[in-house]
Structure formats: C-alpha cells, structure tokens
Amino acid sequence: MAANWQRGMMRLMRIANHPTEVVEIRDFTPWYRRIVFRAPDVVGAVDVFPTLWLRLWVPHPAKGDGFVVQRGYTFVTVDAATSTFSLDFVLHDVAGPAGDWARTAAVGDRLEVALTPARIDIPDGTTTLVLAGDATALPAINTWLQAAPPEVETRVLLEEEHVDRDALPRTVRENGSWEWVERSGDRGAALAEAIRSSVAPQPGVYAWAAGEKTLVKNVRGVLRDHLTLDRGRHFTQFYWIEGKSTG
Ligand SMILES: Cc1cc2nc3c(=O)[nH]c(=O)nc-3n(C[C@H](O)[C@H](O)[C@H](O)COP(=O)(O)OP(=O)(O)OC[C@H]3O[C@@H](n4cnc5c(N)ncnc54)[C@H](O)[C@@H]3O)c2cc1C
C-alpha cells in the first residue's frame, strides 16, 4: 500500500520529525507569506548556512484523512532567543497541499518538520556571486545575501513579474545589484538572456540558481556556455515543476 510512503522512507532512513507550532503570520503581498514557527528542537539542532531548507509535513486531504506529504521550504530566519524559525511561502494559484496549507494557516497550527541538511559553501577566491531564480528561490537568495562576505559582489537576477514584487522581502547589501526580469516565452529564457547580457565571464564567479525546472535548465545552460563555470563553480536545483505535483 502506498499510504504515506514518504514517511515510511524517512523512518527507514532514521530521519527524525520535529514538532512545530505557528506563532506568527506576515503577508508581504497577497501571494507571498512569512510564517514563524516555534520549535525548540529544530532551532537547537540546526547549523545555519545559506539556502538551508527543511521538509515540512503538510496534510494532503485529497489523499485521505491524516495523510501527510513533505515539501521543501527554506529557512529565512532562525532565532535561538525565541526558539523560532521562519519560512516564506509562495501562495501559488494552482492548488497544492503546501500552498493550500500556508494560505489558510493560523496561529496555533501544529506541523512536523524533518531536517536533512546538505551544506553548501562558495569556493575560496569567489569575488562575484550570481544568484538567480524565481520567487521560490527568493528566501534562499536572501540567506546568501546575509551570509556573503562584504567584499564579494552579489548579482541577483529574479524572474518575477507580479506588479507588487517590490513589496517582497529583500536583504539589502552595499556591494550588490538586483534585477527583476520579465518572463518572455519559456520560463527562464529571459532570465538566461539577462545573465548573458549583464554578467561577463570572469574568474571568481560562483553562481547559484533555483526555481521551476524549465527556468533552472535555461539558467544552467547560460552558466555553462556563457560564464563557462565548471561543476565546482555553480549549483542549481529544481524547486518545483510547472503542471506537476511534488507527489
Ligand atoms: C530545497 C527546496 C527549497 C524550497 N524552498 C521554498 C521556499 O522557501 N518557498 C517556497 O515558496 N517554495 C519553496 N520550494 C518549492 C516548493 O517546495 C514547491 O513549490 C512545492 O511544489 C509546493 O508544494 P505544493 O504542495 O504547494 O504544490 P505541489 O503539490 O507540489 O504542486 C501542485 C501544483 O502547484 C504547482 N506549483 C507548485 N509550486 C508552485 C509555485 N511556486 N508557483 C506556481 N505553481 C506552483 C505545481 O506545478 C503543480 O501544478 C522549495 C523546494 C525545494 C526542493
């Protein structure tokens, strides 16, 4: 029986689940929401680094009562003093268990989360950090902007065209630029073009990109062909797939 196979797998892998409780909800825009969770276990267990994410267990009512599925979300803050952490949710229009849960979340709601940290670091000698993606990558991009050493130049390029995008949370840095890119054609096609025209191939570049699968593929192409970055100088990850549920 396929019932909650994801939870079965995690149990087999001996990955612990930790309880959390919603303590605060803040909307930056009608479609981008920050939720603060109280979770002493989690806050005590995490070693914070840029892009650190967790697996959130959310109810999937369509699959039955009590059925839960896991979805990836990025830590945007971790506060030891209050034993809280926060996650930013894109409240997407197409229904999905995590988006739907976040849209109707209320203070006092309880969920479990699991941690499977995979550390990521920029290589020595990095002088320019290129950060690209869509709104789902914004939480991680903000963690990069907080953690990057001041002497490293940051170049953010985000494909996002909501009219209220300027209300989204953005970590401000002196040594950095931010470019909104309007989608045109396939996801990521305009973003790849923007990277091609505004970032010159040069030593010391490290690039990180995440978001929708086609977007990431388009960006990866330009990181390899135009910026000629080898494996150690870039990292890309699909965060979601248009038209396909995570399962
Ligand atoms: C490592 C990692 C970190 C992530 N961090 C974040 C984060 O911090 N914040 C965040 O918002 N997301 C983040 N994501 C992406 C998030 O996990 C996915 O968007 C996920 O699909 C949402 O689950 P769901 O249950 O709402 O929808 P699903 O059941 O997965 O999908 C249902 C439908 O919704 C569509 N869909 C899913 N996400 C989006 C979207 N963003 N926009 C438009 N349509 C969508 C799918 O294409 C599908 O048609 C992260 C993913 C990973 C792997």
Side-chain angles (χ1 to χ4, degrees):
M1 173 72 184
N4 272 8
W5 64 270
Q6 288 179 332
R7 275 181 85 84
M9 281 302 291
M10 301 284 278
R11 252 197 313 274
L12 282 174
M13 292 162 73
R14 297 183 190 284
I15 293 167
N17 294 315
H18 304 281
T20 72
E21 181 178 349
V22 173
V23 291
E24 196 184 325
I25 297 175
R26 172 180 175 193
D27 288 334
F28 287 92
T29 71
W31 55 273
Y32 193 97
R33 164 169 283 189
R34 178 161 300 170
I35 300 185
V36 183
F37 298 83
R38 209 182 73 81
D41 273 18
V42 176
V43 173
V46 288
D47 173 18
V48 183
F49 55 86
T51 78
L52 177 67
W53 56 281
L54 52 65
R55 297 169 196 271
L56 189 68
W57 289 107
V58 288
H60 197 334
K63 291 199 174 178
D65 229 17
F67 200 99
V68 286
V69 287
Q70 63 174 33
R71 297 290 186 260
Y73 283 86
T74 307
F75 285 96
V76 285
T77 65
V78 178
D79 183 357
T82 55
S83 295
T84 59
F85 68 84
S86 52
L87 308 176
D88 283 357
F89 293 79
V90 173
L91 307 178
H92 48 91
D93 293 335
V94 189
D100 293 351
W101 175 80
R103 193 183 292 281
T104 56
V107 169
D109 283 358
R110 289 162 191 268
L111 281 185
E112 285 187 320
V113 302
L115 302 171
T116 49
R119 198 176 181 97
I120 180 166
D121 273 318
I122 54 175
D124 288 345
T126 299
T127 51
T128 303
L129 183 56
V130 176
L131 302 165
D134 59 24
T136 62
L138 176 61
I141 287 176
N142 276 326
T143 65
W144 274 122
L145 297 176
Q146 282 155 26
E151 65 278 11
V152 170
E153 180 196 18
T154 53
R155 305 284 308 273
V156 177
L157 297 102
L158 217 77
E159 193 169 287
E160 171 45 60
E161 50 205 358
H162 279 89
V163 288
D164 51 3
R165 64 191 179 192
D166 283 324
L168 294 173
R170 282 162 60 169
T171 302
V172 177
R173 271 174 69 87
E174 300 228 326
N175 192 9
S177 66
W178 191 290
E179 193 179 331
W180 295 117
V181 177
E182 303 278 334
R183 180 176 170 191
S184 152
D186 277 356
R187 284 186 190 273
L191 185 58
E193 262 326 294
I195 296 171
R196 190 185 300 279
S197 61
S198 71
V199 185
Q202 56 192 297
V205 172
Y206 180 83
W208 179 94
E212 199 280 329
K213 183 177 180 184
T214 303
L215 175 145
V216 171
K217 277 189 179 167
N218 278 321
V219 169
R220 195 189 287 154
V222 85
L223 299 183
R224 289 182 181 156
D225 307 345
H226 167 67
L227 293 179
T228 64
L229 299 175
D230 62 28
R231 271 175 163 273
R233 292 229 147 250
H234 71 280
F235 179 88
T236 61
Q237 186 170 3
F238 304 155
Y239 273 8
W240 62 284
I241 304 176
E242 178 149 41
K244 199 172 166 204
S245 169
T246 310

